[in-house]
Amino acid sequence: FMRSKHHWQSIEEEVKQWVKSNWGKWAEEKPSWLDAAMKARIPVEYIPVESARKAEKRRRVSILQAKAKNINGSIAVGRIIRRGSAIILGNQFKGTAKKQNS
């Protein structure tokens, strides 16, 4: 997960199965390599347990919200959308992609 997804796209199903097979063990053992940064690199849809998937989504949103408070020195209000390398926050934007109207 340290590289862009296109580097391991050819083995995506195997990676997904590996995560699915090991997620429960990792949740119990809490290996040091599976820190918050590494969890953020794992696609949420690879997490096999619905409650763990929801918890990870909430964790990621709270991190984005905390980061959003620092954009342009103001508190951002509105929903957060992540598109590629861009974070779109209501009317505020930070990233490399263009803001898309929704």
Side-chain angles (χ1 to χ4, degrees), residues 45-62:
E45 61 270 15
Y46 286 20
I47 300 171
V49 181
E50 180 67 25
S51 60
R53 214 174 13 253
K54 286 181 179 180
E56 183 59 21
K57 285 179 185 178
R58 283 191 304 272
R59 188 188 73 78
R60 293 178 188 190
V61 167
S62 69

Side-chain angles (χ1 to χ4, degrees), residues 10-57:
S10 64
I11 60 167
E12 182 174 9
E13 284 305 313
E14 290 91 340
V15 172
K16 190 174 185 177
Q17 186 58 42
W18 176 70
V19 171
K20 183 179 179 181
S21 298
N22 290 289
W23 190 264
K25 180 175 81 170
W26 298 336
E28 286 180 25
E29 296 176 0
K30 301 185 184 338
S32 60
W33 61 266
L34 190 61
D35 58 8
M38 182 58 78
K39 283 183 180 179
R41 291 182 183 106
I42 298 172
V44 175
E45 61 270 15
Y46 286 20
I47 300 171
V49 181
E50 180 67 25
S51 60
R53 214 174 13 253
K54 286 181 179 180
E56 183 59 21
K57 285 179 185 178

Side-chain angles (χ1 to χ4, degrees), residues 67-76 89 91-95:
K67 288 180 180 182
K69 290 181 181 180
N70 295 321
I71 293 177
N72 296 327
S74 64
I75 296 175
L89 305 151
N91 293 330
Q92 297 183 1
F93 168 77
K94 182 175 185 175

